[in-house]
């Protein structure tokens, strides 16, 4: 059974999410800011759950919020990248489609729990492809942005619940890399915002 020490690495996500919320909010990147806040809220539940020794009592709520909130949060973050890409931001029809997709994601995640993981992965892959192909900067900078955005996918596939690592190590590394990803994404959002304003 997970122990109170899990609160330590969960708290790193809370701190990273708060910093991201402040930085993104100041830039007016409210979709990404809200997405970061949702990740932070899920982690805050984890901090309380483990620190207050409510491990079993809050297990289902923590899992459900993390999965549903995670799908919505990734939709918001990916949508922010798409909306700030010049190829998309200049099309009113594309903007409407993206906002509709966010609402559909929220509804599906809330009503069909089994859809949360596919939705999360679809939006994450969309974010990676956006950074790789829709940016107007050099190929090297697009590759760097894509690599940063891919940290979360690598984290999910290779670190979270890895059979090669003890469970505690796997989860702590997963939490740490989520926090790193939230902070590393800040210059990626700025890069796309600057391009849209060119």
């Amino acid at each position: 059974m997970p122990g109170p020490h899990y609160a330590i690495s969960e708290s790193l996500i809370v701190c990273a999410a708060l910093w991201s919320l402040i930085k993104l909010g100041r830039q007016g990147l409210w979709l990404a800011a809200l997405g970061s806040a949702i990740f932070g809220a899920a982690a805050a539940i984890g901090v309380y759950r483990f620190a207050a020794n409510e491990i079993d009592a809050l297990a289902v709520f923590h899992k459900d919020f993390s999965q549903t909130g995670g799908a919505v949060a990734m939709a918001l973050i990916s949508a922010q990248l798409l909306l700030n890409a010049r190829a998309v931001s200049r099309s009113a029809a594309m903007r409407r489609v993206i906002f509709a997709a966010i609402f559909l994601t929220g509804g599906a995640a809330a009503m069909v729990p089994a859809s949360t993981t596919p939705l999360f992965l679809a939006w994450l892959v969309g974010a990676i492809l956006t950074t790789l192909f829709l940016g107007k900067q050099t190929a090297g900078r697009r590759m760097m942005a894509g690599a940063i955005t891919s940290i979360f996918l690598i984290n999910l596939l290779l670190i979270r619940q890895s059979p090669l690592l003890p469970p505690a190590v796997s989860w702590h590394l997963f939490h740490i890399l989520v926090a790193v990803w939230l902070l590393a994404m800040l210059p990626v959002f700025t890069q796309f915002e600057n391009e849209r304003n060119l």
Side-chain angles (χ1 to χ4, degrees):
M1 183 176 70
H5 57 89
Y6 282 86
I8 298 171
S9 55
E10 290 268 24
S11 67
L12 296 178
I13 300 176
V14 174
C15 293
L18 283 172
W19 182 249
S20 297
L21 174 61
I22 292 168
K23 297 290 285 184
L24 294 167
R26 286 177 177 171
Q27 295 180 69
L29 302 174
W30 295 109
L31 293 180
L34 180 56
S36 297
I38 293 172
F39 277 124
I45 293 168
V47 170
Y48 177 79
R49 175 190 170 201
F50 296 117
N53 204 28
E54 297 283 346
I55 296 171
D56 291 330
L58 291 176
V60 173
F61 176 66
H62 187 200
K63 178 183 178 182
D64 289 347
F65 188 94
S66 296
Q67 291 182 340
T68 302
V72 175
M74 190 57 69
L76 291 165
I77 286 171
S78 182
Q80 185 74 76
L81 289 168
L82 281 165
L83 291 168
N84 283 7
R86 289 177 63 192
V88 176
S89 65
R90 298 182 179 185
S91 169
M94 286 295 297
R95 292 196 300 271
R96 286 194 290 269
V97 167
I98 290 168
F99 279 110
I102 294 171
F103 284 110
L104 288 172
T105 295
M111 293 185 291
V112 186
S115 70
T116 56
T117 298
L119 287 168
F120 184 97
L121 289 173
W123 281 106
L124 176 54
V125 170
I128 294 167
L129 294 175
T130 299
T131 54
L132 285 173
F133 298 110
L134 292 186
K136 296 298 182 183
Q137 65 277 17
T138 64
R141 293 192 64 164
R142 281 188 280 113
M143 290 294 291
M144 179 61 69
I148 290 170
T149 312
S150 298
I151 289 172
F152 211 131
L153 182 60
I154 295 168
N155 197 16
L156 281 173
L157 295 177
L158 300 181
I159 304 299
R160 181 177 178 268
Q161 296 180 324
S162 169
L164 303 177
L165 298 169
V169 174
S170 175
W171 277 107
H172 281 307
L173 282 176
F174 175 75
H175 293 155
I176 291 167
L177 285 174
V178 170
V180 168
W181 182 81
L182 285 168
L183 297 176
M185 285 297 293
L186 292 174
V188 177
F189 288 118
T190 300
Q191 177 176 296
F192 271 73
E193 174 67 4
N194 290 339
E195 285 184 9
R196 187 181 69 169
N197 294 329
L198 290 176

